[in-house]
Amino acid sequence: QVQLVESGGGLVQAGGSLRLSCVASGGTFSSLAIGWFRQAPEKEREFVAAISYARVGTYADSVKGRFAISRDNAKNTVYLQMNSLKPEDTAVYYCASRWYIATMAVDEYDYWGQGTQVTVSS
């Protein structure tokens, strides 16, 4: 099993930045794709960004140009740098893992972290 722990959420004003971290254990990290998803109250969980085992990033249209995903295999960590934050980015952010290839589908990821709250005020 893969265990994932997110951190880095918080309260930020619109236009500000946050960096989320996802630390993995229990798997061969370099073989994993890691995705970031978010869920706002009364909304379905949606794809944000993902990075493959080969370090190829994929982004939702809503965050392209604002968010950047990266990984540090030596630290078993994936980061999500979030810039130019908007109130509509407010959600619980989750990281999740699957093997090798980054996809955009919630149901294609096997293991999930507990989530970290991001709140963007206007």
Side-chain angles (χ1 to χ4, degrees):
Q1 296 188 42
V2 177
Q3 295 179 330
L4 304 169
V5 179
E6 304 97 331
S7 62
L11 175 64
V12 65
Q13 289 187 301
S17 298
L18 286 172
R19 189 178 74 161
L20 306 183
S21 298
C22 174
V23 179
S25 61
T28 304
F29 183 77
S30 62
S31 297
L32 296 176
I34 302 293
W36 286 97
F37 298 80
R38 66 189 182 188
Q39 188 164 22
E42 301 182 351
K43 294 185 178 180
E44 63 186 19
R45 192 167 298 187
E46 67 175 356
F47 172 78
V48 177
I51 189 163
S52 75
Y53 79 105
R55 307 189 185 197
V56 177
T58 303
Y59 299 90
D61 287 344
S62 60
V63 306
K64 285 181 180 176
R66 299 190 297 123
F67 292 9
I69 191 167
S70 61
R71 67 191 297 159
D72 184 342
N73 286 354
K75 297 181 178 179
N76 284 5
T77 301
V78 167
Y79 303 98
L80 183 68
Q81 179 66 46
M82 305 187 296
N83 300 322
S84 301
L85 283 162
K86 304 174 181 180
E88 50 263 47
D89 295 318
T90 295
V92 177
Y93 283 70
Y94 300 89
C95 65
S97 69
R98 69 186 311 279
W99 291 111
Y100 300 110
I101 304 302
T103 72
M104 300 170 64
V106 169
D107 61 1
E108 293 182 356
Y109 286 77
D110 303 308
Y111 298 99
W112 294 80
Q114 82 289 346
T116 186
Q117 176 71 47
V118 172
T119 303
V120 184
S121 62
S122 60

